[in-house]
Amino acid sequence: MSGADHILRLLGESKLCVCVGSGGVGKTTTAAALAIAAARKGKRAAVLTIDPARRLAQALGVEKMGNTPSPLSAELTSPGSVDAMMLEAGPALDEFVERIVPDEERRQRLFNNRLYQVIARHLGGTHEYMAVERLHALVEESGYDIVILDTPPTVNALDFLDAPNRLAGFFSEKITRFFVKQSDDRKKGIFERIRDRAGDLALSVLGRALGEGFVEELTDFASAFQGLFTAIHDRAIAADKILRASSTSFLVISATDPVRTAEAEEFLRTLERLGIHPRAVVANRVHTQRTRQGHDQRPQTPEDKSGDIDAGLVMAALAPIGRTAETQAVWEALSMAQRQQRALRARDAKGLLHLEKLIGKDRVLVVPELDEEVADRAAVEHLLDGLGLRR
Amino acid sequence: MPEVTDERRARARLDEVLTSRQVVFVTGKGGVGKSVVSAALALRAKELGLRPVLFECDAPVRQSLLPGGKLMTEEITEFAPGILGINQRSDDAIRDYAASTLPSKTVSDLLFENRVARLFLKASPSVTEMAVIGRIIAVSEKYGADGPVIVDLHATGHAVSLLRAPAGIMKVLQRGALFDRAQKIEAMLQDASRTAFITVAVPEELPVTELLELHDKLTELGAPIGPVILNGWSKAPGDIDPATLEALLASPGTRSAARDLRFLLIQASRSKRERDRLLAALQAKHKDDVSLVTLAARFDDDGGLMARRLADDLGKKNL
């Protein structure tokens, strides 16, 4: 089975496909291409990016993309369909609060809370939490056959995998009790009273360290969320289940230079450690030997010196246009280009071998570097070409 | 190399920044070679007679990006000859942060052992950023006299969230010990005599565009910017006109090499186009305050070798 067959089979079997990998390896483009590939096989697909770089719109030629689904043109996706979405932390968090806090006054109190404002708008890091929430809704409730998820590069992506656990931990009922003032002390048992003392102590320490106003804000923040913690907690647990379901597959996207292959190895190792078994690797922008047929699957090895250019051949090629006087200059340019390309091919051959050793040769889809500089849309088509789904 | 005088001036400026600043942040879009460039800057600083510290944040465990370098650890060590290195885990930074800002170890232990407090600290992003900055400052206070702390930041967003963190903390706290500290940190991040933000791009459309957008944000946040490093620049292989290339592609004996040449010509023309665009935009944004260092593309199959070659390029006398 080839890498392409393997990935097509994955798309057929999965409800959720998560693309992880370092920055600059074409992750967003690959996610878009996979969604279109699934659609061309007749699926209702969605592609979601939680990358704050937000380049998916450009890759797909969609004018404007936001929290609501933007359908791609049928010409691109038929017989299936692709909805593309981006996730913006601020609005997504507000939306989430609107859904779970029906009471207008409480909602406004929360929106006005400085802590909430800071978390929602001024700082990074909430992407992961909200992505998990969105993911749950998309996979479970929206009726898509498959959801393709584009993740932020490196460290953030791994945070994302851990987000449900952290979220569940943060919003567990026990924790809220430290913050939320209990109205009726008499109904409690002795242990609960002791625990409350511990909570008070923690709060007073926090107050001294962080400033008194902060604890009030914190308590207020927690009170506003009171009763909703369980809902968030349950959602986070459900989202964690989704990430670990057998219908979820993880793909590692990589380039074949030495730094990126090392990073891909680290991704694979981290996923395994989290109990997730990545199913395939997409090796993007691989420099391969160019032949008359287009691209060879195998890049040239360093030992292979075939095809060295010689001045006689250059002169023969320039004779028909009467430019043999340029032979020396042209020969030098050709030699320089050849040396450079050979170095690149040798480097990529080594990188590709490394990736194949990590996951198995038949699980690596090789996407050759294009001859020409192309727009994002053409890069998507090129990937579809690699999957045998070009129109 | 285009405009040799400008390039010389830019490299002299880079050397000066490495020599005079305590903390040098390296940032840019993912995939532009930030880590290799950071390693090359550390090598360059060493060659300038300094004792630099290479500071990685939550870097995946991987081979050292310095020739002869050991694996980077969470403790500060001399991980390559003459170069100190640390791979800071943010969890450890948060713990350190609590210990350094609280009145006593008992209180900080109490706070950190408390599940609520710990979760809150971890879950609120500004605290993580502040803790990491706190570690960077601590390292620079200890070793900064001998050379710069070169901080390899994650993708572009990380620099911005670092810079925003003090204001975020100040907004929430309004007063108190941490407020004062945040204020000091913000002043330090904005101080052009102590700090520099070196931005890195490759000559492709998105990385250049993202770098320019980042410059707007950094300017807005008062960060001292520069120099800019354009990595992976391709030199044009001489003037080859389209008719010549066509003839070479048409002839079976030269076809394969001509395809390589066509590829290189495309790379070189893109390099020129994006470099011109970057230069013009930098000029418009910063006048002559921000200079551009251009580094030729490297295709080494080993990260350490690549860092070595880039450092050699930075020290090159004949441009």
Side-chain angles (χ1 to χ4, degrees), chain A residues 169-206:
Chain A
F170 190 61
F171 286 120
S172 76
E173 272 295 321
K174 269 185 206 155
I175 280 168
T176 69
R177 292 189 197 169
F178 278 102
F179 292 122
V180 181
K181 291 256 181 287
Q182 301 291 320
S183 53
D184 197 352
D185 259 354
R186 280 162 302 177
K187 283 187 188 158
K188 285 187 205 156
I190 180 81
F191 291 110
E192 279 165 308
R193 261 182 253 164
I194 290 170
R195 195 201 49 229
D196 279 354
R197 285 272 162 75
D200 281 348
L201 185 57
L203 281 184
S204 102
V205 168
L206 266 174

mmCIF file of all heavy atoms in Angstrom, chain A residues 169-206:
data_model
loop_
_atom_site.group_PDB
_atom_site.id
_atom_site.type_symbol
_atom_site.label_atom_id
_atom_site.label_comp_id
_atom_site.label_asym_id
_atom_site.label_seq_id
_atom_site.Cartn_x
_atom_site.Cartn_y
_atom_site.Cartn_z
ATOM 1 N N GLY A 169 -9.619 19.627 35.138
ATOM 2 C CA GLY A 169 -9.023 19.852 36.450
ATOM 3 C C GLY A 169 -9.394 21.221 36.992
ATOM 4 O O GLY A 169 -9.807 21.370 38.135
ATOM 5 N N PHE A 170 -9.287 22.189 36.136
ATOM 6 C CA PHE A 170 -9.521 23.565 36.561
ATOM 7 C C PHE A 170 -10.967 23.791 36.965
ATOM 8 O O PHE A 170 -11.263 24.496 37.919
ATOM 9 C CB PHE A 170 -9.131 24.523 35.438
ATOM 10 C CG PHE A 170 -9.117 25.963 35.863
ATOM 11 C CD1 PHE A 170 -8.259 26.386 36.861
ATOM 12 C CD2 PHE A 170 -9.955 26.874 35.262
ATOM 13 C CE1 PHE A 170 -8.235 27.717 37.258
ATOM 14 C CE2 PHE A 170 -9.939 28.203 35.651
ATOM 15 C CZ PHE A 170 -9.083 28.627 36.651
ATOM 16 N N PHE A 171 -11.864 23.183 36.228
ATOM 17 C CA PHE A 171 -13.267 23.459 36.474
ATOM 18 C C PHE A 171 -13.969 22.370 37.284
ATOM 19 O O PHE A 171 -15.171 22.268 37.256
ATOM 20 C CB PHE A 171 -14.010 23.678 35.148
ATOM 21 C CG PHE A 171 -13.697 25.017 34.535
ATOM 22 C CD1 PHE A 171 -13.122 25.108 33.282
ATOM 23 C CD2 PHE A 171 -13.966 26.183 35.230
ATOM 24 C CE1 PHE A 171 -12.831 26.343 32.726
ATOM 25 C CE2 PHE A 171 -13.673 27.416 34.679
ATOM 26 C CZ PHE A 171 -13.111 27.499 33.429
ATOM 27 N N SER A 172 -13.203 21.539 37.971
ATOM 28 C CA SER A 172 -13.864 20.496 38.750
ATOM 29 C C SER A 172 -14.579 21.147 39.926
ATOM 30 O O SER A 172 -14.176 22.178 40.438
ATOM 31 C CB SER A 172 -12.848 19.458 39.219
ATOM 32 O OG SER A 172 -12.101 19.973 40.285
ATOM 33 N N GLU A 173 -15.667 20.527 40.351
ATOM 34 C CA GLU A 173 -16.516 21.083 41.403
ATOM 35 C C GLU A 173 -15.725 21.450 42.657
ATOM 36 O O GLU A 173 -15.916 22.493 43.257
ATOM 37 C CB GLU A 173 -17.608 20.080 41.782
ATOM 38 C CG GLU A 173 -18.870 20.198 40.943
ATOM 39 C CD GLU A 173 -19.603 21.522 41.123
ATOM 40 O OE1 GLU A 173 -19.665 22.027 42.260
ATOM 41 O OE2 GLU A 173 -20.094 22.070 40.127
ATOM 42 N N LYS A 174 -14.816 20.555 43.025
ATOM 43 C CA LYS A 174 -14.044 20.749 44.256
ATOM 44 C C LYS A 174 -13.365 22.104 44.267
ATOM 45 O O LYS A 174 -13.331 22.792 45.271
ATOM 46 C CB LYS A 174 -12.953 19.676 44.350
ATOM 47 C CG LYS A 174 -13.382 18.422 45.076
ATOM 48 C CD LYS A 174 -12.175 17.514 45.207
ATOM 49 C CE LYS A 174 -12.622 16.073 45.311
ATOM 50 N NZ LYS A 174 -11.595 15.155 44.860
ATOM 51 N N ILE A 175 -12.785 22.444 43.138
ATOM 52 C CA ILE A 175 -12.013 23.669 43.066
ATOM 53 C C ILE A 175 -12.881 24.900 43.256
ATOM 54 O O ILE A 175 -12.514 25.833 43.951
ATOM 55 C CB ILE A 175 -11.257 23.718 41.732
ATOM 56 C CG1 ILE A 175 -10.028 22.840 41.879
ATOM 57 C CG2 ILE A 175 -10.864 25.120 41.361
ATOM 58 C CD1 ILE A 175 -9.350 22.554 40.613
ATOM 59 N N THR A 176 -14.058 24.858 42.689
ATOM 60 C CA THR A 176 -14.909 26.042 42.792
ATOM 61 C C THR A 176 -15.223 26.340 44.251
ATOM 62 O O THR A 176 -15.415 27.479 44.622
ATOM 63 C CB THR A 176 -16.234 25.855 42.036
ATOM 64 O OG1 THR A 176 -17.013 24.893 42.735
ATOM 65 C CG2 THR A 176 -15.979 25.440 40.620
ATOM 66 N N ARG A 177 -15.274 25.291 45.060
ATOM 67 C CA ARG A 177 -15.632 25.510 46.460
ATOM 68 C C ARG A 177 -14.605 26.345 47.206
ATOM 69 O O ARG A 177 -14.913 26.962 48.213
ATOM 70 C CB ARG A 177 -15.807 24.176 47.171
ATOM 71 C CG ARG A 177 -17.018 23.454 46.637
ATOM 72 C CD ARG A 177 -17.328 22.257 47.464
ATOM 73 N NE ARG A 177 -18.221 21.400 46.700
ATOM 74 C CZ ARG A 177 -18.514 20.183 47.047
ATOM 75 N NH1 ARG A 177 -17.980 19.660 48.131
ATOM 76 N NH2 ARG A 177 -19.336 19.473 46.326
ATOM 77 N N PHE A 178 -13.393 26.326 46.716
ATOM 78 C CA PHE A 178 -12.391 27.165 47.362
ATOM 79 C C PHE A 178 -12.713 28.639 47.142
ATOM 80 O O PHE A 178 -12.404 29.479 47.954
ATOM 81 C CB PHE A 178 -10.995 26.872 46.794
ATOM 82 C CG PHE A 178 -10.361 25.675 47.423
ATOM 83 C CD1 PHE A 178 -10.346 24.464 46.760
ATOM 84 C CD2 PHE A 178 -9.784 25.773 48.677
ATOM 85 C CE1 PHE A 178 -9.756 23.364 47.335
ATOM 86 C CE2 PHE A 178 -9.187 24.667 49.255
ATOM 87 C CZ PHE A 178 -9.176 23.454 48.586
ATOM 88 N N PHE A 179 -13.299 28.895 45.997
ATOM 89 C CA PHE A 179 -13.518 30.285 45.632
ATOM 90 C C PHE A 179 -14.892 30.791 46.039
ATOM 91 O O PHE A 179 -15.072 31.951 46.337
ATOM 92 C CB PHE A 179 -13.354 30.455 44.116
ATOM 93 C CG PHE A 179 -11.951 30.256 43.656
ATOM 94 C CD1 PHE A 179 -11.643 29.283 42.717
ATOM 95 C CD2 PHE A 179 -10.936 31.031 44.174
ATOM 96 C CE1 PHE A 179 -10.353 29.102 42.292
ATOM 97 C CE2 PHE A 179 -9.629 30.855 43.753
ATOM 98 C CZ PHE A 179 -9.342 29.889 42.815
ATOM 99 N N VAL A 180 -15.875 29.915 45.959
ATOM 100 C CA VAL A 180 -17.247 30.359 46.139
ATOM 101 C C VAL A 180 -17.611 30.321 47.616
ATOM 102 O O VAL A 180 -17.473 29.299 48.270
ATOM 103 C CB VAL A 180 -18.200 29.474 45.314
ATOM 104 C CG1 VAL A 180 -19.624 29.947 45.488
ATOM 105 C CG2 VAL A 180 -17.800 29.504 43.855
ATOM 106 N N LYS A 181 -18.065 31.448 48.128
ATOM 107 C CA LYS A 181 -18.455 31.526 49.539
ATOM 108 C C LYS A 181 -19.672 30.631 49.787
ATOM 109 O O LYS A 181 -20.658 30.699 49.076
ATOM 110 C CB LYS A 181 -18.809 32.973 49.890
ATOM 111 C CG LYS A 181 -17.605 33.894 49.884
ATOM 112 C CD LYS A 181 -17.160 34.221 51.310
ATOM 113 C CE LYS A 181 -15.973 35.171 51.316
ATOM 114 N NZ LYS A 181 -14.715 34.554 50.913
ATOM 115 N N GLN A 182 -19.560 29.797 50.788
ATOM 116 C CA GLN A 182 -20.686 28.944 51.135
ATOM 117 C C GLN A 182 -21.644 29.747 52.014
ATOM 118 O O GLN A 182 -21.219 30.441 52.928
ATOM 119 C CB GLN A 182 -20.181 27.713 51.891
ATOM 120 C CG GLN A 182 -19.189 26.881 51.105
ATOM 121 C CD GLN A 182 -19.802 26.172 49.918
ATOM 122 O OE1 GLN A 182 -20.922 25.663 50.022
ATOM 123 N NE2 GLN A 182 -19.108 26.147 48.801
ATOM 124 N N SER A 183 -22.932 29.615 51.719
ATOM 125 C CA SER A 183 -23.879 30.446 52.458
ATOM 126 C C SER A 183 -24.254 29.813 53.807
ATOM 127 O O SER A 183 -24.514 30.499 54.774
ATOM 128 C CB SER A 183 -25.127 30.672 51.608
ATOM 129 O OG SER A 183 -25.621 29.423 51.177
ATOM 130 N N ASP A 184 -24.272 28.502 53.848
ATOM 131 C CA ASP A 184 -24.772 27.858 55.061
ATOM 132 C C ASP A 184 -23.720 26.928 55.667
ATOM 133 O O ASP A 184 -23.560 25.794 55.236
ATOM 134 C CB ASP A 184 -26.047 27.083 54.715
ATOM 135 C CG ASP A 184 -26.824 26.748 55.970
ATOM 136 O OD1 ASP A 184 -26.290 26.979 57.081
ATOM 137 O OD2 ASP A 184 -27.947 26.254 55.822
ATOM 138 N N ASP A 185 -23.020 27.449 56.678
ATOM 139 C CA ASP A 185 -21.951 26.686 57.301
ATOM 140 C C ASP A 185 -22.464 25.547 58.186
ATOM 141 O O ASP A 185 -21.783 24.549 58.360
ATOM 142 C CB ASP A 185 -21.088 27.621 58.172
ATOM 143 C CG ASP A 185 -19.804 27.995 57.456
ATOM 144 O OD1 ASP A 185 -19.561 27.426 56.368
ATOM 145 O OD2 ASP A 185 -19.070 28.845 57.971
ATOM 146 N N ARG A 186 -23.639 25.741 58.736
ATOM 147 C CA ARG A 186 -24.108 24.788 59.747
ATOM 148 C C ARG A 186 -24.411 23.408 59.172
ATOM 149 O O ARG A 186 -24.370 22.420 59.855
ATOM 150 C CB ARG A 186 -25.359 25.341 60.441
ATOM 151 C CG ARG A 186 -25.026 26.368 61.521
ATOM 152 C CD ARG A 186 -26.247 27.173 61.838
ATOM 153 N NE ARG A 186 -26.751 27.844 60.644
ATOM 154 C CZ ARG A 186 -27.852 28.581 60.633
ATOM 155 N NH1 ARG A 186 -28.597 28.700 61.703
ATOM 156 N NH2 ARG A 186 -28.236 29.188 59.526
ATOM 157 N N LYS A 187 -24.749 23.383 57.890
ATOM 158 C CA LYS A 187 -25.124 22.103 57.291
ATOM 159 C C LYS A 187 -23.914 21.222 57.004
ATOM 160 O O LYS A 187 -24.059 20.068 56.634
ATOM 161 C CB LYS A 187 -25.891 22.337 55.986
ATOM 162 C CG LYS A 187 -27.320 22.755 56.238
ATOM 163 C CD LYS A 187 -28.067 22.813 54.926
ATOM 164 C CE LYS A 187 -29.446 23.434 55.147
ATOM 165 N NZ LYS A 187 -29.990 23.975 53.908
ATOM 166 N N LYS A 188 -22.733 21.786 57.159
ATOM 167 C CA LYS A 188 -21.542 21.044 56.754
ATOM 168 C C LYS A 188 -21.010 20.144 57.846
ATOM 169 O O LYS A 188 -21.150 20.425 59.025
ATOM 170 C CB LYS A 188 -20.433 22.020 56.379
ATOM 171 C CG LYS A 188 -20.670 22.655 55.072
ATOM 172 C CD LYS A 188 -19.446 23.430 54.746
ATOM 173 C CE LYS A 188 -19.809 24.550 53.804
ATOM 174 N NZ LYS A 188 -18.824 25.589 53.920
ATOM 175 N N GLY A 189 -20.344 19.097 57.434
ATOM 176 C CA GLY A 189 -19.664 18.227 58.380
ATOM 177 C C GLY A 189 -18.320 18.827 58.755
ATOM 178 O O GLY A 189 -17.872 19.794 58.151
ATOM 179 N N ILE A 190 -17.666 18.183 59.727
ATOM 180 C CA ILE A 190 -16.407 18.702 60.229
ATOM 181 C C ILE A 190 -15.331 18.754 59.143
ATOM 182 O O ILE A 190 -14.581 19.714 59.018
ATOM 183 C CB ILE A 190 -15.934 17.889 61.464
ATOM 184 C CG1 ILE A 190 -14.609 18.436 62.012
ATOM 185 C CG2 ILE A 190 -15.774 16.417 61.142
ATOM 186 C CD1 ILE A 190 -14.765 19.628 62.884
ATOM 187 N N PHE A 191 -15.298 17.726 58.272
ATOM 188 C CA PHE A 191 -14.251 17.683 57.237
ATOM 189 C C PHE A 191 -14.414 18.810 56.236
ATOM 190 O O PHE A 191 -13.458 19.420 55.806
ATOM 191 C CB PHE A 191 -14.267 16.332 56.510
ATOM 192 C CG PHE A 191 -13.808 15.214 57.391
ATOM 193 C CD1 PHE A 191 -14.692 14.256 57.846
ATOM 194 C CD2 PHE A 191 -12.476 15.143 57.795
ATOM 195 C CE1 PHE A 191 -14.268 13.238 58.670
ATOM 196 C CE2 PHE A 191 -12.048 14.130 58.628
ATOM 197 C CZ PHE A 191 -12.950 13.168 59.072
ATOM 198 N N GLU A 192 -15.655 19.072 55.911
ATOM 199 C CA GLU A 192 -15.880 20.155 54.958
ATOM 200 C C GLU A 192 -15.451 21.486 55.534
ATOM 201 O O GLU A 192 -14.922 22.338 54.835
ATOM 202 C CB GLU A 192 -17.354 20.214 54.550
ATOM 203 C CG GLU A 192 -17.672 19.195 53.476
ATOM 204 C CD GLU A 192 -19.157 18.997 53.320
ATOM 205 O OE1 GLU A 192 -19.806 18.745 54.350
ATOM 206 O OE2 GLU A 192 -19.642 19.091 52.193
ATOM 207 N N ARG A 193 -15.682 21.643 56.851
ATOM 208 C CA ARG A 193 -15.285 22.908 57.472
ATOM 209 C C ARG A 193 -13.764 23.064 57.431
ATOM 210 O O ARG A 193 -13.242 24.129 57.169
ATOM 211 C CB ARG A 193 -15.789 22.988 58.909
ATOM 212 C CG ARG A 193 -17.068 23.813 58.974
ATOM 213 C CD ARG A 193 -17.545 23.955 60.377
ATOM 214 N NE ARG A 193 -18.710 23.127 60.593
ATOM 215 C CZ ARG A 193 -19.169 22.806 61.796
ATOM 216 N NH1 ARG A 193 -18.530 23.177 62.871
ATOM 217 N NH2 ARG A 193 -20.261 22.094 61.914
ATOM 218 N N ILE A 194 -13.067 21.941 57.722
ATOM 219 C CA ILE A 194 -11.603 21.992 57.658
ATOM 220 C C ILE A 194 -11.148 22.344 56.246
ATOM 221 O O ILE A 194 -10.278 23.176 56.041
ATOM 222 C CB ILE A 194 -10.980 20.654 58.112
ATOM 223 C CG1 ILE A 194 -11.200 20.487 59.616
ATOM 224 C CG2 ILE A 194 -9.491 20.597 57.777
ATOM 225 C CD1 ILE A 194 -10.862 19.129 60.131
ATOM 226 N N ARG A 195 -11.785 21.720 55.262
ATOM 227 C CA ARG A 195 -11.392 21.988 53.896
ATOM 228 C C ARG A 195 -11.619 23.455 53.545
ATOM 229 O O ARG A 195 -10.833 24.084 52.858
ATOM 230 C CB ARG A 195 -12.182 21.094 52.937
ATOM 231 C CG ARG A 195 -11.568 21.054 51.536
ATOM 232 C CD ARG A 195 -12.577 20.624 50.505
ATOM 233 N NE ARG A 195 -13.793 21.383 50.672
ATOM 234 C CZ ARG A 195 -15.005 20.864 50.719
ATOM 235 N NH1 ARG A 195 -15.173 19.581 50.610
ATOM 236 N NH2 ARG A 195 -16.061 21.629 50.882
ATOM 237 N N ASP A 196 -12.706 24.003 54.037
ATOM 238 C CA ASP A 196 -12.980 25.417 53.784
ATOM 239 C C ASP A 196 -11.915 26.306 54.415
ATOM 240 O O ASP A 196 -11.536 27.317 53.850
ATOM 241 C CB ASP A 196 -14.360 25.809 54.322
ATOM 242 C CG ASP A 196 -15.437 25.402 53.332
ATOM 243 O OD1 ASP A 196 -15.061 24.950 52.233
ATOM 244 O OD2 ASP A 196 -16.617 25.514 53.656
ATOM 245 N N ARG A 197 -11.463 25.884 55.615
ATOM 246 C CA ARG A 197 -10.373 26.642 56.247
ATOM 247 C C ARG A 197 -9.153 26.675 55.308
ATOM 248 O O ARG A 197 -8.543 27.710 55.140
ATOM 249 C CB ARG A 197 -9.952 25.973 57.560
ATOM 250 C CG ARG A 197 -10.915 26.176 58.672
ATOM 251 C CD ARG A 197 -10.617 27.468 59.431
ATOM 252 N NE ARG A 197 -11.766 27.867 60.223
ATOM 253 C CZ ARG A 197 -12.125 27.271 61.362
ATOM 254 N NH1 ARG A 197 -11.418 26.269 61.840
ATOM 255 N NH2 ARG A 197 -13.192 27.663 62.023
ATOM 256 N N ALA A 198 -8.845 25.488 54.756
ATOM 257 C CA ALA A 198 -7.695 25.411 53.841
ATOM 258 C C ALA A 198 -7.909 26.348 52.663
ATOM 259 O O ALA A 198 -7.004 27.051 52.226
ATOM 260 C CB ALA A 198 -7.497 23.977 53.350
ATOM 261 N N GLY A 199 -9.136 26.381 52.177
ATOM 262 C CA GLY A 199 -9.464 27.271 51.069
ATOM 263 C C GLY A 199 -9.275 28.724 51.470
ATOM 264 O O GLY A 199 -8.671 29.511 50.748
ATOM 265 N N ASP A 200 -9.757 29.068 52.677
ATOM 266 C CA ASP A 200 -9.610 30.443 53.157
ATOM 267 C C ASP A 200 -8.139 30.833 53.255
ATOM 268 O O ASP A 200 -7.747 31.930 52.884
ATOM 269 C CB ASP A 200 -10.256 30.603 54.535
ATOM 270 C CG ASP A 200 -11.763 30.728 54.405
ATOM 271 O OD1 ASP A 200 -12.236 30.915 53.257
ATOM 272 O OD2 ASP A 200 -12.463 30.622 55.420
ATOM 273 N N LEU A 201 -7.353 29.874 53.778
ATOM 274 C CA LEU A 201 -5.928 30.140 53.942
ATOM 275 C C LEU A 201 -5.287 30.407 52.578
ATOM 276 O O LEU A 201 -4.540 31.366 52.404
ATOM 277 C CB LEU A 201 -5.257 28.946 54.638
ATOM 278 C CG LEU A 201 -3.783 29.123 54.990
ATOM 279 C CD1 LEU A 201 -3.579 30.346 55.869
ATOM 280 C CD2 LEU A 201 -3.264 27.881 55.702
ATOM 281 N N ALA A 202 -5.623 29.542 51.624
ATOM 282 C CA ALA A 202 -5.068 29.705 50.274
ATOM 283 C C ALA A 202 -5.454 31.069 49.715
ATOM 284 O O ALA A 202 -4.636 31.770 49.134
ATOM 285 C CB ALA A 202 -5.567 28.603 49.352
ATOM 286 N N LEU A 203 -6.718 31.435 49.941
ATOM 287 C CA LEU A 203 -7.179 32.725 49.427
ATOM 288 C C LEU A 203 -6.459 33.884 50.092
ATOM 289 O O LEU A 203 -6.113 34.861 49.441
ATOM 290 C CB LEU A 203 -8.693 32.871 49.638
ATOM 291 C CG LEU A 203 -9.582 32.153 48.639
ATOM 292 C CD1 LEU A 203 -11.037 32.459 48.913
ATOM 293 C CD2 LEU A 203 -9.231 32.540 47.211
ATOM 294 N N SER A 204 -6.213 33.740 51.389
ATOM 295 C CA SER A 204 -5.569 34.859 52.063
ATOM 296 C C SER A 204 -4.109 34.988 51.620
ATOM 297 O O SER A 204 -3.583 36.090 51.479
ATOM 298 C CB SER A 204 -5.725 34.735 53.583
ATOM 299 O OG SER A 204 -4.550 34.263 54.170
ATOM 300 N N VAL A 205 -3.471 33.835 51.363
ATOM 301 C CA VAL A 205 -2.100 33.872 50.840
ATOM 302 C C VAL A 205 -2.090 34.510 49.451
ATOM 303 O O VAL A 205 -1.302 35.401 49.156
ATOM 304 C CB VAL A 205 -1.482 32.459 50.779
ATOM 305 C CG1 VAL A 205 -0.190 32.474 49.971
ATOM 306 C CG2 VAL A 205 -1.216 31.946 52.181
ATOM 307 N N LEU A 206 -3.022 34.060 48.631
ATOM 308 C CA LEU A 206 -3.125 34.628 47.277
ATOM 309 C C LEU A 206 -3.365 36.129 47.347
ATOM 310 O O LEU A 206 -2.805 36.905 46.589
ATOM 311 C CB LEU A 206 -4.293 33.981 46.522
ATOM 312 C CG LEU A 206 -3.969 32.780 45.647
ATOM 313 C CD1 LEU A 206 -5.267 32.191 45.108
ATOM 314 C CD2 LEU A 206 -3.076 33.181 44.482
#
